[in-house]
Amino acid sequence: MSERSLMKGNEALAEAAMRAGCKCFFGYPITPQTEISAYLAKKMSANGGLFLQAESEIAAINMVLGAASTGTRCMTSSSSPGISLKSEGISYIAASDLPCVIINVQRGGPGLGGIQPSQADYWQATKGLGHGDFHILVYAPASVQEMVDMAVNAFDKADQYRMPAMILADGLLGQMMEPVTFPEIKPMEYDKSWAASGHKNKREHNIINSLFLTPEVLENSVIERFERYRKIEETETDAEIYLCNDADIVVCAFGATARVAKSAVNLARGKGIKAGLFRPKTLWPFPVNELKDAVKTAKKILSVEMNMGQMIDDIKLATECKIPVSFFGRTGGVIPKPMEILDKIVDLGGDI
Amino acid sequence: MDLSEIKKINIITGHYGCGKTNFAVNLALRLSDEAKKVSVVDLDIVNPYFRSADFKELFNRNNIQLAASVYANTNLDIPAITFDIERLSREDGYLIIDVGGDEAGAVALGRYKEIFKTLGDGNIQMLYVINSYRYLLKDPKDCVSLMREIESVSRLKCTALVNNSNLGTETTLKTVSDSLDYADKVSKLTGLSIKFTCVPEGKTLGINGEFPVKRYVKALWE
């Protein structure tokens, strides 16, 4: 068996990024993602990479824009308010068709909010991380091991589709310790002939740009990008489906909340309630077909989130509003407890 | 438990994530089981998560006094100490000081060097907690370097080791027995004895200094 190590979520993510070939990190400190920067500050240069603490989040994301333009695997990480600051740069990166990885270890919001865990950036990540018509890939890990696996995958998918990929973690995952194993990472080769990495007078120079002088040209570039998005929606979805085969109530939860929800589902099964868990691992693209499969026998759906119910609309759209969706959530940095979720499941189970 | 292994003041240091807090909580409960007066000081000024202050209610139920920043577990992420270690160190009973991780966390200790000095070496010990499964310290030499950094900023010397090698929820007796060689190496390199070897509660390796621990630092879903 491969060697097990005990690691903090943030550390594991940083180590996984280096192993995935990330050569540049640009960031600005913020709790609760600090260990990512601290880890890379210690290890990145010994690993042949660059760690740079920028003067601000805005500077950091624009450094990512520059490094990504050269085809170098690069990354930035922050937490909720810091991600908002990066949003203009992320839009530029998406518009320039550049790959990069962005980590958001979410904390309570809105505003400066607080430093305790939250999932209140779901809408921001999946619907509008910046101005203009664009999407980014959004992965939602639920364990320290998934922080590792998804970070590696995010770099590959970002390169494959030439677009930003986000790991949408939260303060709980970032701070908790769990055993992990690092997978054998097979370096994949991607076409980087688009990169502005020096032409040595041997080819036409490449231009990385997000400004268009002619509306029709801009329109065409957006339409072409959306054709790519449609393909991603068909092929890149992923979800965990747990005890849903015969479920009357399917609990939908992502990230750390899904761990709490799973305990509640197990407790409900112990009471004879047919509960199951659906956990989207990709938030964009949302696993529509997987959810349709999971709720085949369900009479009710319960969305459990560390926010005010931001995933409900995606669940309703995926299930074409055919099954009623209830909600239980805590927000502001409060983590739901298994018993609270169980109470809600029992309430819903009463009239089935 | 052999109480002679416990001093009036017990300072718990180590790498973050090695299990200092879990060890401190177990030690405090063991002492209170023996009807001893115990105080736990949460001196973690570095990390606002997973700390001794999380166990306020457990300590209350067991008559263990907790000294922690009034800002612990709030949204105020500031390195503040709002209690008086000098006074606590002069009270009756045992004092367990749970220090923040790494050399950054140990900075807060340096402030108390003079106070500790007046109590005499016989009344004080600084335990360096090690975990062979922590990714950054898998080489015993790195484990020793960190100990030296902690000693340097805290202006205190570690007096013994605690082998708390664990893999969280996956910890078995084999997890611990596989770590004995690592602990020996750290012991040889530092010249410090291994005062305790933590084993899961209810299990035994039959070695000296076994210290059964229960996992109190847990995720919410467990």
Side-chain angles (χ1 to χ4, degrees):
Chain A
M1 198 183 89
S2 304
E3 199 179 0
R4 296 293 264 169
S5 300
L6 192 63
M7 287 183 99
K8 201 177 224 201
N10 284 337
E11 277 183 326
L13 221 162
E15 176 65 31
M18 278 195 310
R19 287 179 180 231
C22 175
K23 289 293 175 209
C24 291
F25 176 91
F26 308 99
Y28 186 81
I30 183 168
T31 307
Q33 67 77 53
T34 309
E35 293 84 0
I36 297 176
S37 312
Y39 192 95
L40 293 173
K42 270 188 184 160
K43 302 254 289 187
M44 197 66 153
S45 66
N47 215 42
L50 170 86
F51 168 89
L52 197 149
Q53 181 173 318
E55 68 268 35
S56 72
E57 285 87 349
I58 296 169
I61 194 66
N62 283 290
M63 290 172 186
V64 170
L65 169 60
S69 300
T70 69
T72 306
R73 282 197 164 179
C74 58
M75 178 170 103
T76 186
S77 78
S78 192
S79 178
S80 308
I83 295 292
S84 296
L85 279 168
K86 291 181 199 285
S87 65
E88 181 200 41
I90 294 170
S91 175
Y92 285 21
I93 293 168
S96 309
D97 294 316
L98 295 175
C100 72
V101 171
I102 301 154
I103 313 293
N104 182 2
V105 184
Q106 296 168 92
R107 57 188 249 180
L112 274 172
I115 59 169
Q116 300 297 337
S118 159
Q119 298 180 317
D121 304 345
Y122 180 94
W123 279 334
Q124 183 194 48
T126 60
K127 311 277 186 258
L129 191 43
H131 59 281
D133 287 315
F134 78 94
H135 282 296
I136 60 167
L137 296 157
V138 183
Y139 297 95
S143 65
V144 176
Q145 184 65 53
E146 271 191 357
M147 295 279 255
V148 170
D149 299 340
M150 286 184 178
V152 173
N153 189 42
F155 276 101
D156 278 339
K157 294 301 170 188
D159 270 349
Q160 184 181 341
Y161 295 106
R162 289 181 61 186
M163 64 189 287
M166 172 177 275
I167 305 289
L168 191 68
D170 59 68
L172 185 51
L173 284 168
Q175 294 299 325
M176 63 184 279
M177 307 277 308
E178 272 187 332
V180 291
T181 303
F182 286 96
E184 239 354 271
I185 294 168
K186 299 176 211 91
M188 304 265 274
E189 287 295 321
Y190 295 94
D191 171 33
K192 298 246 170 128
S193 57
W194 49 264
S197 53
H199 53 75
K200 295 176 180 138
N201 288 323
K202 287 190 176 142
R203 59 162 168 79
E204 195 67 14
H205 64 269
N206 289 330
I207 298 173
I208 308 291
N209 175 43
S210 72
L211 175 67
F212 292 80
L213 301 181
T214 320
E216 287 75 14
V217 178
L218 173 54
E219 184 186 45
N220 282 336
S221 88
V222 173
I223 289 171
E224 182 277 323
R225 200 169 295 122
F226 269 70
E227 281 162 8
R228 218 179 325 148
Y229 293 158
R230 296 291 87 85
K231 203 180 293 169
I232 293 168
E233 284 174 324
E234 282 165 25
T235 56
E236 296 298 338
T237 56
D238 196 7
E240 178 193 354
I241 298 172
Y242 178 71
L243 301 181
C244 287
N245 268 343
D246 63 341
D248 289 329
I249 300 172
V250 168
V251 179
C252 292
F254 66 96
T257 309
R259 300 282 288 275
V260 190
K262 198 181 227 175
S263 294
V265 163
N266 288 333
L267 292 168
R269 285 273 169 178
K271 285 178 171 290
I273 299 171
K274 288 183 183 166
L277 175 73
F278 177 79
R279 174 171 74 90
K281 295 183 184 177
T282 53
L283 301 181
W284 194 90
F286 192 78
V288 173
N289 291 328
E290 291 87 340
L291 179 55
K292 277 183 181 154
D293 266 356
V295 299
K296 267 185 182 145
T297 64
K299 297 179 184 72
K300 289 177 180 178
I301 295 171
L302 172 65
S303 186
V304 180
E305 306 171 53
M306 278 195 282
N307 59 45
M308 292 302 283
Q310 298 187 14
M311 189 170 59
I312 293 173
D313 289 345
D314 283 338
I315 295 170
K316 284 185 175 169
L317 284 172
T319 55
E320 292 157 12
C321 293
K322 285 175 182 161
I323 303 167
V325 182
S326 303
F327 173 69
F328 178 77
R330 300 299 303 263
T331 196
V334 184
I335 305 162
K337 295 187 179 71
M339 292 309 281
E340 292 174 335
I341 303 171
L342 176 66
D343 287 348
K344 187 75 185 178
I345 295 173
V346 170
D347 279 355
L348 289 174
D351 54 359
I352 285 175
Chain B
M1 187 174 60
D2 183 0
L3 287 176
S4 68
E5 297 295 345
I6 311 300
K7 300 283 171 71
K8 165 147 183 61
I9 293 179
N10 305 276
I11 302 167
I12 320 286
T13 62
H15 185 33
Y16 73 88
C18 67
K20 291 181 297 298
T21 295
N22 203 57
F23 175 72
V25 172
N26 274 278
L27 184 59
L29 288 168
R30 200 69 47 78
L31 288 167
S32 83
D33 281 350
E34 311 250 351
K36 301 293 174 193
K37 185 170 181 282
V38 195
S39 299
V40 174
V41 175
D42 180 342
L43 198 61
D44 194 340
I45 57 157
V46 176
N47 192 331
Y49 312 96
F50 296 108
R51 53 191 298 166
S52 282
D54 299 349
F55 301 94
K56 200 172 174 177
E57 284 170 28
L58 178 70
F59 289 159
N60 262 340
R61 285 200 300 277
N62 289 279
N63 291 320
I64 296 166
Q65 189 180 183
L66 170 70
S69 165
V70 294
Y71 304 116
N73 293 329
T74 71
N75 277 329
L76 214 50
D77 183 12
I78 55 168
I81 293 167
T82 58
F83 45 85
D84 186 351
I85 287 192
E86 181 163 15
R87 182 179 59 75
L88 286 167
S89 66
R90 297 194 190 290
E91 284 180 2
D92 285 344
Y94 295 97
L95 197 60
I96 297 168
I97 304 178
D98 183 11
V99 182
D102 295 359
E103 72 282 11
V107 168
L109 261 186
R111 151 83 176 76
Y112 304 104
K113 179 190 162 85
E114 295 306 318
I115 297 165
F116 294 145
K117 214 160 133 189
T118 62
L119 294 166
D121 285 348
N123 283 319
I124 185 161
Q125 63 179 341
M126 181 148 103
L127 301 174
Y128 183 58
V129 180
I130 62 174
N131 181 352
S132 64
Y133 298 95
R134 283 293 284 129
Y135 189 77
L136 285 179
L137 301 187
K138 289 207 160 179
D139 185 336
K141 283 188 201 124
D142 292 329
C143 186
V144 176
S145 308
L146 178 64
M147 189 186 96
R148 298 294 177 223
E149 286 171 38
I150 288 172
E151 290 182 330
S152 158
V153 299
S154 69
R155 305 194 287 152
L156 295 165
K157 291 278 177 217
C158 292
T159 55
L161 304 174
V162 174
N163 179 11
N164 187 37
S165 294
N166 75 87
L167 277 170
T169 48
E170 291 179 9
T171 310
T172 63
L173 208 52
K174 187 172 185 307
T175 313
V176 183
S177 63
D178 286 351
S179 75
L180 297 179
D181 185 47
Y182 174 91
D184 276 342
K185 283 183 182 144
V186 177
S187 174
K188 284 208 178 75
L189 287 166
T190 56
L192 297 178
S193 63
I194 303 162
K195 181 158 267 193
F196 298 115
T197 299
C198 299
V199 293
E201 198 179 36
K203 308 257 170 74
T204 178
L205 281 172
I207 58 171
N208 283 338
E210 263 186 345
F211 187 81
V213 291
K214 192 172 158 180
R215 223 160 43 78
Y216 289 100
V217 179
K218 278 186 181 178
L220 262 176
W221 50 79
E222 289 178 40

